[in-house]
Amino acid sequence: MLNVPSQSFPAPSSQQRVASGGRSKVPLKQGRSLMDWIRLTESGKDLTGLKGKLIDVTEEELKKHNKKDDCWICIRGCVYNVSPYMEYHPGGEDTLMSAAGSDGTDLFNQIHPWVNYESMLKVCLVGRMAVKPTVSKGTIAVFVFLCKGMLPKSQVTDILAKEGPSSPSYDWFQTESLVTIVIYTKQKDINLDSVIVDHQDDSFRAETIIKDYSYLIHLGLSHEIQEDFSVRVVENVGKIEIVLKKKENTFWKSLGHSLENHNSFIPKKDAGLYYRRCRLISKEDVTHDTKLFCLMLPPSTHLQVPIGQHVYLKLTITGTEIVKPYTPVFDSLLSEFQEPVLCNSKYIYFLIKIYPAGLFTPELDHLQIGDYVSISSPEGNFKKSRIEELEDLFLLAAGTGFTPMVKILNYALANIPSLRKVKLDVLSIKQEDDIIWRSQWEKLTFKDKRFDIEFILSAPTSEWNGKRGYISPALLSEFLKRSSDKSKVLICICGPTPFTEQGIRLLHDLNFSKDEIHSFTA
């Protein structure tokens, strides 16, 4: 795992470590750090055992390599010999061995989908899985048709559900100066943040997220276009229009030639992450160890991060690509409550705590204005539908874990008329000087009487008159007071993994259901 925090939560002596459970990091032997692994990969040593040869791996062959000293794992169609990496894996050998000799894609996606395994394990690549014959959607449709009347209706429905939503299609039109690409999604819940468009060099890429699926148009355009373009969505029919400006007023005989995965419609978890280079515009101190970074998207990119979702920032550190997940925020809290978010904004803001002994954040902090950071397409499973008709919204955050809450809070207060109470508790703050945007949060409590916030400090000075301590049953019992006995409630929780896992256990102990809890666990 490349996400290496520089400090642990809770502190080693904290009572919160008792029976914490869940997945945690395993202490590594001396000389087995991430930097040691990077040095090994650059040593020229053969880590595959195949002397640089790549092979097609059958399922039968993969199954044979299921031992600690001979461990192959498939991730997204690529097979790696992870035996040399065993002692360097922060999650321990057991995690890797649980996928030994098999396809570990689902396990990888559950635990750390942000990790750039292609870069980290590139010298361990054995080859690709041998292609197996696949059953087309048309074949499934015929099968379902033939089964009607022969199978119970519930079984036919299950088959259709597994098949997923209907595949979109696209067409294109042109005038003397414009080219319009039209995507027909066949869905009615499509909006501007459902589509991501990138034009880099000769590659035009438009990805549309439809439920949990990704539809991709990927073309080498037949002629040059200008940097700026427009994206329009007709929500009631699920139609997307991307209008490109021709560099020369000439007639195009074709839109272009197909590139990798063009016109594909696959589960989003199998699509992988796509990055674009964004320029650092500014960085300013918010507290003594937290900064607000402003990055600008390329002029030929359309990307809006949906509410409650995150992106991955990527830097190359000592020759290896390192990635970390972050949730975009606004440039300030109150300004965005006064004005709507601009749909065509080219700027993305991140509140990031700098860990001096860390691997990623010091490199990020050392960047100069004008330098570049790569940003992925959005990820996450939060749906706005979860807060529709909501009456009580409780937000529980540790430190900068409140960042996913900012846009949720903004949207809920502005758009949910049924909302009666919104409360944010921010824990894992040591002292008053560590409180981020304190004055802005307090102004918001005066601006909207439905909102309240508490800061709970872990090591305050004697002058602190507020609450102190850590997450506990008593704290949650007081925090989670519904506006009525049967009010519709949602509790969002975000922070370091041990904090989140313990919080979820305590919420279940207080009889809150799974449907009433959403955890941000990137």
Side-chain angles (χ1 to χ4, degrees), residues 94-115:
D94 290 345
T95 302
L96 292 178
M97 287 304 298
S98 64
S102 65
D103 191 325
T105 303
D106 288 343
L107 179 64
F108 176 85
N109 287 339
Q110 291 169 15
I111 296 177
H112 38 46
W114 62 87
V115 173

Side-chain angles (χ1 to χ4, degrees), residues 136-148:
S136 68
K137 280 198 168 187
T139 303
I140 295 175
V142 172
F143 171 72
V144 171
F145 175 77
L146 292 174
C147 287
K148 286 183 177 179

Side-chain angles (χ1 to χ4, degrees), residues 429-432 435 455-460 464 467-469:
I429 306 172
K430 289 185 177 180
Q431 298 184 348
E432 284 189 78
I435 297 176
F455 302 104
I456 301 166
L457 306 190
S458 60
W464 174 250
K467 290 187 177 180
R468 61 187 70 202

Side-chain angles (χ1 to χ4, degrees), residues 237-294:
V237 295
K239 184 173 72 171
I240 299 167
E241 296 178 350
I242 305 170
V243 181
L244 313 177
K245 299 177 182 178
K246 298 178 178 178
K247 270 199 172 180
E248 296 181 359
N249 294 341
T250 183
F251 180 78
W252 291 19
K253 294 182 179 179
S254 69
L255 184 57
H257 61 276
S258 299
L259 298 178
E260 184 179 11
N261 296 325
H262 172 62
N263 206 26
S264 62
F265 187 53
I266 60 176
K268 190 174 185 298
K269 65 182 179 63
D270 297 331
L273 294 174
Y274 182 81
Y275 289 84
R276 68 279 303 151
R277 296 177 74 235
C278 300
R279 188 156 56 93
L280 179 62
I281 299 299
S282 66
K283 56 179 177 179
E284 60 181 73
D285 294 334
V286 179
T287 68
H288 67 96
D289 62 359
T290 303
K291 296 188 177 183
L292 181 68
F293 291 80
C294 176

